[in-house]
Amino acid sequence: LLSKDLEKNLLYMEKRVLAEGAGRYENGQWNVKNLKFLTEFMKKMGLTTGDLARVVGLMRASVTRWFMVDDTSYSKVEMIANHYGYEFYVHYEIPDVPIERTKLSIDQALYVLGEVGKLDSRLNFLRLAIYQAGITKSDFAKKLGLSRMGLNLWFQKDDITFRYIYEIAEKMDWTVNIQFKLKEKKEY
């Protein structure tokens, strides 16, 4: 039997252990799942965690932690992309509902205009996906194991972490599409 103090210390230490599947730095690169797109962006741009830290106003250790836990927020990545002259987009590819003898294609922008009308929202891609899937927010939240209030908190904050972006894709059988689009240069 362990003493209460030793048991308490072991519990404390266990909490500090990173979740299974967390990122590891091997052979000069991060081995991650959720932030693989960000490591590729860094590689192509020649960036380090220190460079990212300066952009988002954090210590290098904080950004390194993103890769250790394999997660960060959409808003942080958007800030990095904007700093380096890119627009950052995420959207879900949702399997089409088959219509007999019909191949239907509708431009995503039409959905955006017809849906909630929040064109400047970071989470418009999630609203759009829920709309395209033809499910209610309550059913969507239930499928994810969230309360409707929990789902609404994401929309209120207008931010989500990539762990949830990929978890949603897995549970809903959707594909995550990520795009860094070079901003058009304005001529003066």
Side-chain angles (χ1 to χ4, degrees), residues 125-151:
F125 77 94
L126 184 55
R127 283 185 185 87
L128 173 64
I130 293 168
Y131 177 77
Q132 284 179 308
I135 59 176
T136 65
K137 284 185 180 178
S138 295
D139 289 341
F140 179 74
K142 192 179 299 180
K143 190 160 187 168
L144 295 177
L146 295 172
S147 67
R148 169 108 185 209
M149 186 182 295
L151 179 62

Side-chain angles (χ1 to χ4, degrees), residues 12-153:
Y12 176 75
M13 287 171 42
E14 284 177 3
K15 287 180 184 176
R16 303 200 41 95
V17 173
L18 297 175
E20 190 162 330
R24 291 180 308 284
Y25 192 75
E26 300 171 332
N27 301 324
Q29 62 187 20
W30 284 100
N31 182 10
V32 290
K33 180 180 156 191
N34 298 334
L35 296 181
K36 183 70 177 163
F37 72 92
L38 186 55
T39 63
E40 290 301 314
F41 180 75
M42 290 170 64
K43 191 184 316 179
K44 288 191 182 343
M45 298 292 290
L47 303 173
T48 66
T49 52
D51 296 327
L52 301 187
R54 281 186 288 283
V55 170
V56 295
L58 295 172
M59 301 290 291
R60 182 182 195 139
S62 297
V63 173
T64 298
R65 180 117 177 110
W66 294 354
F67 296 102
M68 292 170 65
V69 298
D70 195 13
D71 201 14
T72 191
S73 66
Y74 185 109
S75 60
K76 296 280 194 281
V77 175
E78 183 180 53
M79 190 183 304
I80 291 164
N82 284 329
H83 180 82
Y84 289 103
Y86 289 85
E87 293 178 38
F88 181 70
Y89 300 102
V90 173
H91 76 273
Y92 289 114
E93 191 173 301
I94 300 167
D96 290 329
V97 177
I99 302 172
E100 189 175 332
R101 296 186 324 213
T102 304
K103 180 166 174 83
L104 178 65
S105 176
I106 301 174
D107 186 6
Q108 183 176 352
L110 295 176
Y111 280 117
V112 173
L113 293 172
E115 175 54 3
V116 183
K118 296 187 176 186
L119 295 173
D120 58 347
S121 167
R122 278 187 201 104
L123 296 190
N124 205 37
F125 77 94
L126 184 55
R127 283 185 185 87
L128 173 64
I130 293 168
Y131 177 77
Q132 284 179 308
I135 59 176
T136 65
K137 284 185 180 178
S138 295
D139 289 341
F140 179 74
K142 192 179 299 180
K143 190 160 187 168
L144 295 177
L146 295 172
S147 67
R148 169 108 185 209
M149 186 182 295
L151 179 62
N152 283 335
L153 281 174

Side-chain angles (χ1 to χ4, degrees), residues 3 85 146 178:
S3 74
L146 295 172
I178 295 177

